[in-house]
Amino acid sequence: MLDTDFFRRWMAAMAAAVDREADRLTELDSAIGDADHGSNLQRGFTAVTAALAKDAPATPGAVLTLAGRQLISTVGGASGPLYGTLLRRTGKALGESAEVTSGQLAEAFSAGVAAVGQLGGARAGDKTMLDALLPAADALGSSFRAARDAAGAGARATVPLQARKGRASYLGARSIGHEDPGAASSALLVAALVEADEPPGAGEGTGTAGAGGTTDGSGS
Ligand code: ADP
Ligand code: MG
């Protein structure tokens, strides 16, 4: 089972990843956008961290809806409402239970990803965050690691695509040859699930991600 603490660790791991990778995300956005994706997400997840510390939400669903609200109110640009919708809708789908299964998370996350598609009007292959999120949602039913790998592969696969949504689409064919920044950051969000499941020093994961068990113990 995944408890409220797991979801706090997920958001904390994402905040740390965004801090670590902010320059790379901004570099990607400077190639096909306006060079603010790293700073946008840094501002957003800094606000998420502060809000979670202040409000201490009591359920997994409440952690994600609070995080989503923070992203919507603090991140300017396209990615704020889209990420905010992803987390809010996922949180809403988790309901009010104190613990959820990884299967319930996979289902809720799929609902969140679908809401991103609805809000932004993008589909697979449009060179957006959905190109990482859609394959991740499909793989999440197997394991967190499978979802992480699918999101990473999906983000890398945006390189040869031409953007059909968002700011990068204004570039037309010149958007080809660059990884989409939102897909890259979405891969970080999904990778953060693995980190939340296998906190450093814990020795082993909770095993709730299923499929093959988590025997690696990453560095401990
Ligand atoms: P902005 O484009 O307003 O500067 P960001 O730089 O923070 O916002 O985020 C850009 C990312 O948002 C893109 O790389 C893309 O992944 C994502 N994005 C933009 N528009 C859409 C959309 N309509 N649907 C899904 N994702 C989108
Ligand atoms: Mg931008």
Side-chain angles (χ1 to χ4, degrees), residues 29 32-38 40-41 75-80 82 116-117 119-123 127-130 165-168 179-186:
D29 197 33
I32 58 170
D34 57 353
D36 64 356
H37 191 56
N40 278 347
L41 288 190
V75 180
S79 64
L82 292 164
V116 171
L119 178 65
R123 306 178 28 187
K127 196 181 181 99
T128 71
M129 57 198 292
L130 284 175
K165 287 285 169 189
R167 213 178 273 282
E179 185 172 343
D180 178 65
S185 60
S186 293

Side-chain angles (χ1 to χ4, degrees), residues 190-218:
V190 179
L193 276 173
V194 176
E195 295 176 51
D197 194 42
E198 303 168 5
E204 58 183 283
T206 62
T208 43
T214 48
T215 50
D216 139 343
S218 17

Side-chain angles (χ1 to χ4, degrees), residues 6-7 11 38 43 59 63 89 92 98 115-116 122 130 139 171 195:
F6 170 85
F7 286 85
M11 293 298 104
R43 185 168 61 253
T59 63
V63 169
R89 188 61 77 86
K92 210 173 157 196
V116 171
L130 284 175
L171 291 178
E195 295 176 51

